[in-house]
Amino acid sequence: MNWSYIFLMVACFIVGLVLLRGLFNMMQGGSSNKSQQLMRLRVIAQAIAVAAMVLVVWLSRE
């Protein structure tokens, strides 16, 4: 496996983990501040994952 695919899998795993943590927090009736923080963290992690995907595709074309 190439290092780029491993990085992409880790990025997607982190996004999924943050998403599940946020869902679990909402199901348990946790604080809304914590839910908002997890939502922001998920969006940032998603942006990084998408940017990494674009970068990998761009670099693999050369």
Side-chain angles (χ1 to χ4, degrees):
M1 280 184 106
N2 197 352
W3 64 270
S4 57
Y5 295 115
I6 294 171
F7 179 73
L8 290 178
M9 285 190 287
V10 169
C12 290
F13 178 75
I14 290 171
V15 170
L17 192 65
V18 173
L19 175 63
L20 290 176
R21 179 68 179 110
L23 289 173
F24 184 73
N25 185 54
M26 284 192 293
M27 289 182 351
Q28 296 296 319
S31 72
S32 60
N33 286 339
K34 179 122 181 160
S35 292
Q36 286 296 322
Q37 288 176 342
L38 288 168
M39 178 79 72
R40 288 184 192 114
L41 183 61
R42 182 188 57 83
V43 169
I44 291 168
Q46 247 178 321
I48 292 170
V50 169
M53 287 178 200
V54 170
L55 184 64
V56 166
V57 169
W58 183 67
L59 290 175
S60 67
R61 290 178 57 192
E62 295 179 355

